[in-house]
Amino acid sequence: MTVLYDKVTLIGLGLIASSMGHAMKKSGLANTIVGFSQTKETRDMSLSLGFVDEITDTIEDAVSDSDLIVLSVPVGAMAAIAKIIGPKLKLGATITDVGSVKQSVIDMVAPHIPNGVHFVPGHPLAGTEQSGPTSGFPDLFKNRWCILTPLKNCNKEASARLKQYWEALGANVEYMEAEHHDLVLAVTSHAPHLIAYTMVGVADDLGRVTDKEVINFSAAGFRDFTRIAASDPTMWRDVFLNNREATLEILGRFTEELFDLQRAIRRGDGDQLFEYFNRTRAIRRSIIDAGQDTEAANFGRGSVE
Ligand code: NAP
């Protein structure tokens, strides 16, 4: 495969960065992959896992002479990092991020990027509930979407090359306005995570009352919630703090619908419940048809209950 960037720097070496590193190694997209993370433990582990060629002790050394810099840290950490590395970036380099929220990242990072360095924000819609350098794998982005939200004055060549890079990692790429991205993701990811966190919290409270019955006899529906609710607390705290407006908008709509269904249950309105569930079942079908999930029952995990 063609080398797209001579030197790539991964800042933050968790699930997303380690998956990028493994995928780059597999496809030969970069000549050198440099890594930096805040703890020495993560840096050493990343080097021993082999998804980076070099690690550096300082973030300034990591970005020096780099052609592509990827910010792969929690959204709340990006501003401080951009401030430190901004003056050290090479003229003509591209800097991107993989943050789950886009507008606030643009607001926080863009002011620190010097003229002549191309900032192209991005978000791969791929992940698991696991985190850290050991959790990555090369196929994480395969057939998943990566959304790029370039700024109005963005260098076309830089954004086209980054698109090519994500495609080489296995992703399908779509361009979007940052604000629109944040609304779409509030519906498809952020609000569902908050609902899962809440449901597991409620069940845990109840578990204390019923001597852990909720945990011991948890059925597939609840187990799926617990998988989502096991996601990294720092990452998700930062998502909600940085996508506040869109998440609150969707949660408002969610609450209205929930009250409506609650009323249907109270009134014994089976038709309303049936029609609603019939409509939502079709959504699952369309996700499978789009190749974004498996058709196998219970996500291919065997028995359902
Ligand atoms: P992760 O596995 O928890 O890893 C985060 C990494 O960032 C760790 O290596 C951590 O370092 C490092 N870090 C944190 N603060 C730092 C700082 N101030 N300076 C340098 N390094 C720092 O996280 P992830 O899942 O890869 O997520 C990274 C980004 O991708 C987030 O912005 C998230 O919103 C986005 N994202 C996540 C998913 C997902 O499903 N997980 C999907 C798409 C996008 P140490 O280990 O050294 O402490």
Side-chain angles (χ1 to χ4, degrees):
M1 184 160 298
T2 328
V3 172
L4 288 174
Y5 298 99
D6 182 37
K7 182 170 170 181
V8 174
T9 299
L10 302 172
I11 297 180
L13 297 167
L15 169 71
I16 301 296
S18 58
S19 297
M20 291 176 88
H22 286 300
M24 277 192 274
K25 285 273 169 198
K26 207 172 155 187
S27 54
L29 285 174
N31 285 328
T32 311
I33 306 171
V34 180
F36 178 82
S37 194
Q38 61 185 354
T39 63
K40 184 164 165 28
E41 193 189 346
T42 295
R43 298 199 292 269
D44 290 345
M45 172 62 80
S46 303
L47 194 60
S48 71
L49 288 167
F51 66 82
V52 291
D53 299 305
E54 295 169 21
I55 48 161
T56 60
D57 289 337
T58 69
I59 196 165
E60 290 92 338
D61 286 346
V63 301
S64 151
D65 207 30
S66 189
D67 301 288
L68 174 69
I69 299 94
V70 184
L71 302 181
S72 194
V73 296
V75 166
M78 290 195 188
I81 289 177
K83 189 174 180 195
I84 299 169
I85 65 171
K88 307 286 174 190
L89 299 174
K90 179 169 83 172
L91 211 65
T94 295
I95 177 166
T96 188
D97 75 292
V98 294
S100 305
V101 180
K102 295 277 53 88
Q103 191 58 57
S104 76
V105 167
I106 291 173
D107 295 344
M108 290 185 297
V109 171
H112 301 294
I113 308 304
N115 287 335
V117 175
H118 314 304
F119 176 38
V120 189
H123 178 206
L125 306 191
T128 72
E129 68 281 18
Q130 298 186 335
S131 48
T134 55
S135 59
F137 55 98
D139 287 343
L140 178 66
F141 310 110
K142 208 170 168 189
N143 201 26
R144 296 280 160 249
W145 286 98
C146 178
I147 300 177
L148 297 181
T149 62
L151 284 71
K152 288 223 161 41
N153 55 354
C154 175
N155 179 287
K156 295 275 177 293
E157 204 186 312
S159 98
R161 185 172 289 252
L162 189 66
K163 176 175 186 282
Q164 212 184 335
Y165 169 83
W166 274 108
E167 286 169 348
L169 295 183
N172 307 312
V173 176
E174 178 93 1
Y175 289 108
M176 225 180 247
E177 295 273 337
E179 209 175 311
H180 186 63
H181 163 280
D182 291 351
L183 184 63
V184 171
L185 267 291
V187 179
T188 59
S189 171
H190 305 168
H193 269 80
L194 198 72
I195 293 160
Y197 279 124
T198 313
M199 195 58 230
V200 175
V202 167
D204 184 38
D205 290 345
L206 203 61
R208 292 197 186 111
V209 179
T210 59
D211 197 17
K212 296 287 177 200
E213 272 182 336
V214 171
I215 307 296
N216 292 342
F217 303 123
S218 77
F222 180 64
R223 282 204 305 270
D224 290 339
F225 275 129
T226 61
R227 186 191 67 73
I228 298 172
S231 300
D232 188 73
T234 307
M235 168 186 158
W236 283 97
R237 176 202 62 197
D238 286 4
V239 166
F240 293 118
L241 292 180
N242 287 280
N243 197 18
R244 203 165 44 180
E245 301 305 322
T247 308
L248 290 177
E249 164 67 20
I250 300 307
L251 286 174
R253 286 168 183 257
F254 173 81
T255 313
E256 285 173 24
E257 299 269 307
L258 190 65
F259 280 146
D260 211 30
L261 290 177
Q262 196 175 328
R263 205 176 310 114
I265 294 171
R266 199 183 304 285
R267 284 200 313 256
D269 189 342
D271 287 348
Q272 183 183 346
L273 295 173
F274 184 84
E275 274 163 34
Y276 200 94
F277 301 158
N278 218 17
R279 179 156 66 89
T280 56
R281 182 178 227 187
I283 306 278
R284 169 101 192 123
R285 180 75 256 157
S286 60
I287 289 170
I288 293 165
D289 290 347
Q292 295 300 303
D293 211 342
T294 169
E295 188 153 20
N298 196 22
F299 309 105
R301 281 183 307 213
S303 71
V304 174
E305 293 294 284

